[in-house]
Amino acid sequence: MRKLPPLHALRAFEAAARHMNFGRAADELALTPTAISHQVRSLEEHLGCQLFIRFPRPMKLTPQGETLFPVLRDGLNRFAEAIEGLTEADAGTLTLSVNLSFASRWLMPRLPRLQKETGFEITVDADDRMVDLHARTVDCAIRYTDAVPREFQGHQLFGDAMIPVCTPAFLEAHGQPSSLAQVARLPLIQFKWKSKRANAPSWERWFAHAAISEPDAGPLSPNYELRLSEELHALEAATAGHGVSLASSLEVRDDIAAGKLVQAYDVGLPGLTFWMVHLKPHRRQAEIEAVVAWMRQEAEKT
């Protein structure tokens, strides 16, 4: 007979270790942070070892916690996978998480064709907050990143570059810039990238990259006309003629082809990569791979 700790304590520890936050674990499990804390301490007492180093902040796992967490996480994933395989609930719907900009600029115009040509009913969960795939509220997610954590299955979709864009009328009114100094004097639209990573797209990184080919550009003082919190709003402001914004070359490709936007300066900041990411194993792997194949083929058309 197996001698296992209480399942509710194991679930509490797994969620707390995955989020590294008792509050977020409590939200996921519909409990209070105090209840999560009590259940984790109960598990520690049962095992006779400490699983978290709670102070000083930030909280982190002990060596024993680091040993237990991936085994428990993967076991619960397989358990959930088996349970899902026993029911036909939502069998025809594939839930896809994407950020707002990609959803608005690339996916929405193509979604009806994607569903028709693959035969899948797809629910789009659009949010700039990164979804926790282990919570199983979505089947898969499109992530803009340079690498996929080994715990997930990643399918590379498209490469990208961040380019400066504006409307043709704006460029005609302000003139085509012929140097970085002239770009810096244009009304620029800044947005705050959600990721804190050093390689997150920004005007600062764009100017630094562009200066490699213009070593004589000298010190620049960019004219940030608008500072916004959302990438999508920055692109909407540029489309409305309010200035120049950095944008994903993939996401503005349709607008450039239609003449709604133009690239304001012929330098692109090498971007990250769009990946389709999901848990492994996944009972809907074949459907996800079919969507990946469709998206890759679609990107090659334009």
Side-chain angles (χ1 to χ4, degrees), residues 6 72 104 166 263:
L72 185 56
S104 174
C166 61
Q263 185 167 343

Side-chain angles (χ1 to χ4, degrees), residues 106-122 124 294:
W106 195 87
L107 184 57
M108 288 302 104
R110 295 167 170 79
L111 185 59
R113 283 197 298 109
L114 170 58
Q115 294 189 126
K116 181 178 179 180
E117 293 175 16
T118 61
F120 306 143
E121 181 181 345
I122 297 174
V124 176
W294 188 93

Side-chain angles (χ1 to χ4, degrees), residues 2-293:
R2 295 187 181 91
K3 293 186 177 180
L4 296 174
L7 179 58
H8 65 270
L10 292 172
R11 289 183 66 215
F13 165 71
E14 189 274 339
R18 177 158 35 86
H19 291 291
M20 276 299 158
N21 185 285
F22 283 5
R24 289 197 290 272
D27 289 341
E28 178 181 320
L29 299 180
L31 297 171
T32 65
T34 300
I36 294 290
S37 179
H38 285 326
Q39 290 181 13
V40 170
R41 288 200 182 278
S42 170
L43 179 61
E44 290 175 326
E45 291 172 3
H46 183 97
L47 298 175
C49 63
Q50 188 174 353
L51 298 173
F52 287 103
I53 299 174
R54 294 165 172 80
F55 299 99
R57 301 291 186 182
M59 183 173 70
K60 62 181 181 179
L61 291 169
T62 64
Q64 294 89 342
E66 289 178 347
T67 298
L68 178 60
F69 170 57
V71 176
L72 185 56
R73 178 199 63 208
D74 294 346
L76 289 174
N77 282 343
R78 287 193 291 270
F79 180 61
E81 189 77 19
I83 294 298
E84 290 171 3
L86 298 177
T87 176
E88 294 300 316
D90 294 327
T93 301
L94 189 71
T95 305
L96 171 62
S97 171
V98 296
N99 69 31
L100 294 170
S101 181
F102 182 85
S104 174
R105 291 285 170 168
W106 195 87
L107 184 57
M108 288 302 104
R110 295 167 170 79
L111 185 59
R113 283 197 298 109
L114 170 58
Q115 294 189 126
K116 181 178 179 180
E117 293 175 16
T118 61
F120 306 143
E121 181 181 345
I122 297 174
T123 298
V124 176
D125 182 0
D127 197 322
D128 282 338
R129 292 172 296 182
M130 190 176 293
V131 69
D132 179 7
L133 292 173
H134 291 286
R136 295 182 174 270
T137 56
V138 301
D139 291 302
C140 50
I142 293 179
R143 299 263 171 90
Y144 190 59
T145 184
D146 50 2
V148 174
R150 285 186 293 179
E151 65 185 285
F152 300 129
Q153 178 72 46
H155 307 270
Q156 187 170 341
L157 291 173
F158 347 95
D160 194 35
M162 299 297 289
I163 60 174
V165 297
C166 61
T167 62
F170 177 91
L171 196 62
E172 183 178 352
H174 289 80
Q176 176 75 51
S178 58
S179 67
L180 288 183
Q182 291 180 6
V183 174
R185 287 194 290 269
L186 291 173
L188 303 180
I189 302 169
Q190 179 76 293
F191 64 86
K192 183 184 296 184
W193 195 258
K194 299 302 180 185
S195 168
K196 304 289 186 185
R197 293 178 304 188
N199 62 353
S202 68
W203 273 114
E204 290 78 9
R205 289 191 62 229
W206 184 89
F207 277 111
H209 175 74
I212 295 174
S213 57
E214 270 188 56
D216 299 328
L220 298 171
S221 298
N223 172 29
Y224 296 124
E225 182 77 10
L226 295 175
R227 297 176 185 268
L228 306 174
S229 64
E230 305 293 334
E231 176 191 8
L232 179 58
H233 294 163
L235 192 48
E236 289 175 345
T239 304
H242 299 319
V244 183
S245 176
L246 285 180
S248 157
S249 59
L250 178 85
E251 294 177 7
V252 296
R253 194 176 296 173
D254 292 346
D255 285 340
I256 290 176
K260 296 178 181 178
L261 293 172
V262 293
Q263 185 167 343
Y265 199 70
D266 193 22
V267 172
L269 173 67
L272 303 178
T273 301
F274 288 94
W275 293 82
M276 181 74 82
V277 181
H278 59 83
L279 294 176
K280 53 181 181 181
H282 200 291
R283 68 187 178 94
R284 309 193 71 173
Q285 175 102 12
E287 294 165 75
I288 294 171
E289 290 180 354
V291 171
V292 167

